[in-house]
Amino acid sequence: YGPGGFVSWLKNLQREGKKLTKAEADAVIEESKRLGIEVRLDPPHPGTGWNVPHLNVGKNGQVHLEVPSGYSHPTVPLGSAVKPK
């Protein structure tokens, strides 16, 4: 599979409400990097459906997957809790 197939698979996980474990989040990040897909770690977004820590995968945040509270990864940029204007 290529980047598109991987992102589609992640979208299905998002639809199912999958909450990633630390190991699963690490694996998603490693595979995203291998495929050249942008990935960011976002803090909770108050007032939205994503008021939990989550990975933001793909250009324009195509996929959001919840990660454990306090999760971090040294190679992933941190997003902001507020939407850029």
Side-chain angles (χ1 to χ4, degrees):
Y1 62 87
F6 186 60
V7 169
S8 289
W9 179 71
L10 293 177
K11 276 186 182 170
N12 287 335
L13 292 181
Q14 175 183 312
R15 235 177 263 123
E16 293 163 13
K18 171 79 174 147
K19 181 176 179 177
L20 301 178
T21 64
K22 182 182 183 321
E24 289 166 340
D26 287 347
V28 166
I29 289 167
E30 296 309 321
E31 190 62 7
S32 295
K33 290 191 171 297
R34 191 182 73 76
L35 292 167
I37 299 167
E38 291 176 25
V39 61
R40 189 174 79 218
L41 182 60
D42 280 0
H45 292 256
T48 73
W50 288 102
N51 196 12
V52 291
H54 58 281
L55 290 180
N56 186 311
V57 184
K59 276 198 188 307
N60 305 318
Q62 295 169 335
V63 180
H64 299 77
L65 291 165
E66 185 176 350
V67 297
S69 188
Y71 176 80
S72 67
H73 194 280
T75 67
V76 177
L78 292 175
S80 156
V82 289
K83 230 181 164 144
K85 296 201 182 326

